[in-house]
Amino acid sequence: MLLTILVLFSILSFTPSSALDIEGPDTAAQARQSEQTVVSIGPSDRPAELRIPGNIGENETLPLVVALHGFSEYPWYVYDYFQGVNSVDDNRHLLLTPYGTENPDGYYFWNGTPACCDFYNQNIDDVSYLSSLISTAISDHGADPNRVMLIGHSNGGFMSHRMACDAGNILHTIINFAGATYGDFSDCSLTGYPNIVNVHGTNDGTIDYNGGQIWGETYASSPDGAVYWADRSGCDGTSTQMGTMDLVNGDGNNETTQLQHLDCARGNRVTHWKLSGVDHGPTFTDGSLINAAFDWAFNQPVDIEGCTDVNATNYNENATVDDGSCEYPPPPVPGCMDPDATNYAENATVDDGSCEYPPPPVLGCMNATATNYDENATVDDDSCVYPLPPVLGCMNATATNYDE
């Protein structure tokens, strides 16, 4: 069992090429400070470094980038690997660099998805820990609560996906490099719809680009992880190629293909950056990954097509570009809506007060031969009176048989 654990650690752990030259996190953070302020936040038994750029304007509110290291004996490698310290000035953001928990073998890990990497079942609540650090950076140091981005490598990528599931409402974007989301996406809680960027090399021999399992716990492939989020967010099920980039080695070879799921109904964005022929720990020259991710997350306009007219029946509150799809209720049809009226209009939708009714019945004698015939009567009430029948006889008073 111990041998199995040691072999697994040797596969998963990430040791940067400069690890032997790194004495500790303070040394690794010296790439550039340029009037940056460095403060320690979080609990006393697990503090984290927050780096703040200089010359912040009075009304300037900056994004917060949280860099999450991989499964490693040297968690501070993440400073130089992503070049987040330089990015603080180049891209103008706060940088939070927390560390995971050290396991019994001296490897620092995040309690991400079941696949990676709490191998000793230490059950650390890293979601609450990171959420608390983010809250402190916002409340005490002015980070923009609407622009919080996680960028994680390997185990840090798994943790970024765990945060997207369990604390998605506090995140703007996650950048998952060489990590993965749940193999069974139904295990991913729905707490929000952050932007999702899956970045993965097709030749990764540590976390398989095509998905896999660690100790029987599955993780999704990089493209499937994007599809899961696209389905949840109401995006196109099929990705669209948006372009290519040279992220690795700076050699002019555009090894990265951007595959984005467009038209997300929830207003977020979901993309998969496929790094052809790239392994688990490539060199991102001059901070190419964090720079491209930051630009994608915060600087590129988001066009969401849909109906923008609030009066339409299919109004989309997230749409930014009207695509001519607006649908409206039919116009009102005025008319008499009382079926008892003589002018009842069965197609009318709005009663316009025009209803007409037959006059009330007039009782009386309707027989013209009656002495009380009423020409205005509309209902015969059996009241007719007729003259007496004629009496035949002699009507000459001088006659002997005169009948008076």
Side-chain angles (χ1 to χ4, degrees):
M1 181 66 171
L2 177 59
L3 178 60
T4 302
I5 294 176
L6 291 176
V7 171
L8 181 64
F9 284 178
S10 68
I11 295 173
L12 287 175
S13 62
F14 180 76
T15 302
S17 59
S18 58
L20 296 179
D21 299 326
I22 297 176
E23 298 177 1
D26 293 335
T27 302
Q30 300 304 316
R32 177 165 56 179
Q33 296 199 31
S34 174
E35 299 184 7
Q36 295 177 8
T37 300
V38 179
V39 297
S40 179
I41 65 173
S44 59
D45 61 342
R46 198 179 174 189
E49 180 186 284
L50 180 67
R51 191 170 285 268
I52 306 168
N55 303 317
I56 297 179
E58 181 178 353
N59 297 317
E60 186 179 13
T61 303
L62 300 180
L64 172 67
V65 175
V66 184
L68 303 178
H69 62 77
F71 185 76
S72 178
E73 293 179 279
Y74 308 95
W76 47 88
Y77 81 84
V78 75
Y79 282 95
D80 286 334
Y81 190 63
F82 287 136
Q83 297 195 28
V85 176
N86 293 348
S87 178
V88 168
D89 291 325
D90 293 342
N91 294 309
R92 299 292 292 169
H93 62 79
L94 284 70
L95 176 67
L96 178 62
T97 314
Y99 294 159
T101 301
E102 189 175 10
N103 73 11
D105 297 294
Y107 290 87
Y108 287 81
F109 74 95
W110 297 105
N111 187 11
T113 73
C116 184
C117 285
D118 183 15
F119 302 124
Y120 282 95
N121 296 318
Q122 292 171 257
N123 296 318
I124 306 300
D125 188 358
D126 282 327
V127 172
S128 293
Y129 171 65
L130 292 175
S131 298
S132 176
L133 292 178
I134 291 170
S135 178
T136 299
I138 292 169
S139 62
D140 296 354
H141 301 283
D144 187 345
N146 297 314
R147 291 187 292 168
V148 177
M149 183 177 89
L150 303 188
I151 182 168
H153 174 222
S154 191
N155 180 207
F158 281 91
M159 189 65 222
S160 70
H161 267 295
R162 174 76 184 272
M163 287 290 289
C165 296
D166 291 359
N169 58 318
I170 67 171
L171 303 178
H172 181 282
T173 299
I174 69 160
I175 311 299
N176 156 48
F177 171 59
T181 190
Y182 294 87
D184 182 354
F185 197 64
S186 65
D187 292 333
C188 176
S189 301
L190 175 55
T191 58
Y193 298 91
N195 297 326
I196 305 294
V197 185
N198 273 353
V199 188
H200 213 131
T202 59
N203 287 7
D204 191 334
T206 303
I207 303 300
D208 197 327
Y209 173 87
N210 296 306
Q213 58 178 305
I214 302 173
W215 278 6
E217 298 289 355
T218 61
Y219 59 86
S221 72
S222 187
D224 282 351
V227 169
Y228 294 157
W229 272 102
D231 180 66
R232 172 174 285 189
S233 305
C235 316
D236 291 347
T238 302
S239 62
T240 299
Q241 181 171 329
M242 305 299 289
T244 60
M245 296 183 290
D246 175 17
L247 292 181
V248 178
N249 297 327
D251 55 7
N253 174 35
N254 286 3
E255 78 295 316
T256 301
T257 303
Q258 298 170 284
L259 302 166
Q260 187 158 327
H261 295 267
L262 302 175
D263 298 330
C264 299
R266 294 293 180 176
N268 59 334
R269 291 186 291 164
V270 178
T271 190
H272 163 227
W273 293 356
K274 178 181 179 180
L275 280 57
S276 297
V278 173
D279 60 16
H280 192 64
T283 298
F284 293 113
T285 308
D286 297 326
S288 58
L289 177 58
I290 195 170
N291 291 336
F294 189 92
D295 183 62
W296 182 90
F298 300 123
N299 297 330
Q300 293 183 13
V302 181
D303 289 337
I304 302 173
E305 295 186 350
C307 175
T308 60
D309 188 342
V310 295
N311 296 313
T313 55
N314 61 331
Y315 166 63
N316 183 353
E317 63 180 5
N318 296 314
T320 58
V321 177
D322 196 291
D323 62 358
S325 67
C326 292
E327 299 175 358
Y328 300 92
V333 178
C336 174
M337 298 181 65
D338 188 345
D340 293 328
T342 56
N343 61 333
Y344 167 63
E346 63 179 6
N347 295 320
T349 58
V350 177
D351 197 295
D352 61 359
S354 67
C355 292
E356 299 175 358
Y357 300 93
V362 177
L363 302 179
C365 176
M366 298 179 67
N367 192 326
T369 64
T371 57
N372 60 334
Y373 164 66
D374 186 348
E375 63 181 5
N376 295 316
T378 58
V379 176
D380 195 294
D381 61 358
D382 296 326
S383 66
C384 292
V385 176
Y386 300 93
L388 296 173
V391 179
L392 300 178
C394 178
M395 297 178 66
N396 188 335
T398 64
T400 60
N401 61 336
Y402 166 68
D403 186 351
E404 63 178 5

